[in-house]
Amino acid sequence: MPRLLLLLPTTTYRTAAFLGAARKLGVEVVVASERAHVFQQAQPGRFLSLDFLHPDQAARQVVEFVATRPIDAVVGVDDATTVLAAVLSNALGLPHNPVRSTAAARDKYRMRTLLRGDDVPVPPYALRSFDDDPVVEARRTVFPCVVKPLMFSASRGVIRADDEAQFVGAVRRLERILRTPEAAADGEAARQVLVEGFIPGREVALEGLLVKGDLHVLALFDKPDPLDGPFFEETIYVTPSRLPVAVQAEIASCTARAAQALGLRDGPVHAELRVNSHGPWVIELAARSIGGLCSRTLRFGTGLSLEELILRQALGMEIPSLERERRAAGVMMIPIPRAGVLKDIRGQTEARAVPGIDEVAITAHPGQDLVPLPEGASYPGFIFARAESPERVEAALREAHRRLEFVVMAPRESKGAV
Ligand code: ADP
């Protein structure tokens, strides 16, 4: 039985999907996470606690582990683990993406530099430090611009500014976000910001699988809600794309060039691009699959999940099909209605009853603080739909969302409901 080392950060949404896929494939899983697992004592061969922030130390531990229990593949499930997966695979002599490529895909500045160096269209950008005076920086900035941290994901800390005053406000706000202990773990990167030209246009997300350097497009998602800022909250993703076929082909080739520029060769990629009259622009390319619960929109061949494809590839198992099912599919990452403490989400039965809705998955729990962007990073839940056309999927998602009613109490400092 092949044995897989699965890197599961404690904050991931993907545990059930990856463990389910491994079970279906008959693969033995060793779960590695940052904290000691309650079952670790009872089943030492099945759980490993690794220091995700110190890959070299983690590699030594894993090398020791495989002396008695060999590992056939290492898979990191999301952003926080892509670099570690490459380091561990390297230490075990397993095929993997170059460590520096996965690291570049995690660092927005290095990514921009590599992409621009290979003539992949990216926004104009400049690296700034919090030691620089934002008032002075504002004078030499071209507007509109986007201010963003180097290492975060899920649009956290990404802020548009249209003039000098907004720029100064955005930089100071981002600085406060990056002062949290969690961000400080990024070291010097938490003292820097990237300032980019704002690229207008329609945004798409490309889900792909790299196989020996070739990009296979698994799905291209339209994002029908405008993402013009000042914050960039993701909402609806619908596939197949309604863009003209020629534009979709340009998006795919631009993404393939971006992966090549970074040196990525194998495994899942998730790219965000904007498309306007100049063609596609790469906003980002991550060496991981789509986040949250969004992979539930995707089925391949005779019903394979995205996670099964990823595990099959990592383990060198045959992949029967990379063809997505014919029906249109989509997801809404439910937007945070307002800051506060979640009490209840009503209307879930009514939302599930909308034709085309597959599932309403509420992931927030009563009593949870809802923190909107740019400070926050998680969604209260996800709505999934399938239908004959992307238009119907989009309409079903909007109707289901309209039926949900959020009961949110005022943030903890103040009193009373809002
Ligand atoms: P993250 O990795 O946190 O998602 P991104 O750099 O991908 O950060 O930015 C998040 C979102 O912000 C993008 O999906 C896009 O909608 C918007 N955005 C980021 N940079 C730009 C830009 N230069 N021009 C226009 N929109 C941008």
Side-chain angles (χ1 to χ4, degrees):
M1 196 196 262
R3 191 175 294 125
L4 168 77
L5 180 63
L6 198 57
L7 308 181
L8 284 177
T10 38
T11 51
T12 187
Y13 285 99
R14 312 288 298 280
T15 307
F18 273 100
L19 291 180
R23 202 173 315 119
K24 240 175 117 182
L25 295 176
V27 174
E28 185 182 314
V29 178
V30 178
V31 169
S33 65
E34 311 103 304
R35 287 204 208 121
H37 196 280
V38 278
F39 297 125
Q40 197 160 336
Q41 295 290 335
Q43 291 180 289
R46 304 299 289 271
F47 299 96
L48 251 180
S49 56
L50 295 179
D51 185 347
F52 282 16
L53 297 177
H54 296 98
D56 292 338
Q57 195 177 315
R60 279 193 293 276
Q61 252 180 289
V62 170
V63 166
E64 208 172 287
F65 181 88
V66 300
T68 51
R69 294 178 80 84
I71 295 286
D72 300 288
V74 181
V75 170
V77 304
D78 48 26
D79 256 330
T81 52
T82 51
V83 179
L84 181 60
V87 171
L88 298 183
S89 301
N90 186 46
L92 299 182
L94 298 169
H96 62 93
N97 277 316
V99 173
R100 64 174 186 289
S101 304
T102 55
R106 278 280 282 146
D107 176 329
K108 295 186 198 321
Y109 176 66
R110 282 166 74 184
M111 175 166 60
R112 288 274 174 268
T113 310
L114 288 174
L115 297 189
R116 189 171 65 179
D118 264 12
D119 290 331
V120 178
V122 292
Y125 63 94
L127 187 64
R128 301 274 179 255
S129 159
F130 286 129
D131 298 331
D132 303 327
D133 179 352
V135 178
V136 176
E137 292 303 322
R139 281 186 220 126
R140 48 190 194 122
T141 299
V142 178
F143 296 103
C145 75
V146 174
V147 173
K148 57 170 81 166
L150 302 191
M151 300 289 246
F152 278 5
S153 54
S155 305
R156 204 167 156 217
V158 180
I159 308 172
R160 170 175 166 161
D162 286 347
D163 56 37
E164 292 184 22
Q166 287 183 6
F167 176 87
V168 173
V171 170
R172 297 212 162 117
R173 193 162 178 177
L174 180 52
E175 193 172 7
R176 277 196 299 278
I177 296 173
L178 288 174
R179 255 193 245 124
T180 57
E182 173 208 347
D186 291 334
E188 187 50 29
R191 300 213 30 81
Q192 293 175 317
V193 286
L194 199 58
V195 182
E196 296 186 349
F198 175 82
I199 305 294
R202 303 179 63 166
E203 190 160 313
V204 293
L206 184 147
E207 194 66 16
L209 193 70
L210 289 166
V211 181
K212 296 191 171 58
D214 286 334
L215 177 73
H216 296 262
V217 178
L218 299 175
L220 184 63
F221 290 94
D222 287 336
K223 303 188 186 183
D225 283 336
L227 282 158
D228 289 329
F231 314 124
F232 299 90
E233 185 171 48
E234 303 258 40
T235 53
I236 297 181
Y237 273 44
V238 182
T239 190
S241 169
R242 283 166 266 179
L243 289 171
V245 173
V247 176
Q248 294 191 34
E250 275 184 68
I251 291 168
S253 87
C254 190
T255 308
R257 280 166 49 214
Q260 202 172 18
L262 294 177
L264 295 170
R265 293 191 52 75
D266 281 298
V269 287
H270 179 81
E272 315 276 352
L273 297 95
R274 289 203 159 207
V275 190
N276 58 27
S277 55
H278 300 281
W281 302 72
V282 176
I283 300 295
E284 103 162 321
L285 181 89
R288 57 158 171 89
S289 54
I290 192 166
L293 295 179
C294 298
S295 68
R296 290 188 189 172
T297 49
L298 301 175
R299 285 187 204 138
F300 301 90
T302 50
L304 258 65
S305 67
L306 177 63
E307 288 77 10
E308 278 172 77
L309 291 190
I310 293 169
L311 295 190
R312 278 179 178 273
Q313 188 200 21
L315 290 157
M317 294 163 86
E318 187 218 346
I319 300 180
S321 171
L322 291 173
E323 203 59 35
R324 199 186 67 79
E325 67 179 336
R326 290 229 343 261
R327 301 186 83 195
V331 57
M332 177 189 271
M333 290 158 249
I334 301 174
I336 289 183
R338 58 194 166 271
V341 180
L342 179 66
K343 263 201 93 193
D344 195 10
I345 301 181
R346 298 186 184 139
Q348 294 183 41
T349 310
E350 292 78 0
R352 288 189 183 102
V354 174
I357 293 299
D358 276 355
E359 191 185 355
V360 176
I362 302 299
T363 44
H365 52 81
Q368 183 170 325
D369 272 323
L370 298 181
V371 185
L373 286 171
E375 284 80 13
S378 64
Y379 309 99
F382 302 82
I383 308 174
F384 299 93
R386 280 192 166 71
E388 288 318 307
S389 67
E391 290 79 1
R392 289 212 176 146
V393 167
E394 183 183 336
L397 292 171
R398 292 195 192 285
E399 176 57 23
H401 179 243
R402 201 188 59 74
R403 293 183 185 191
L404 294 178
E405 187 200 338
F406 292 81
V407 185
V408 179
M409 305 297 287
R412 292 184 200 276
E413 307 84 68
S414 48
K415 292 203 180 86
V418 282

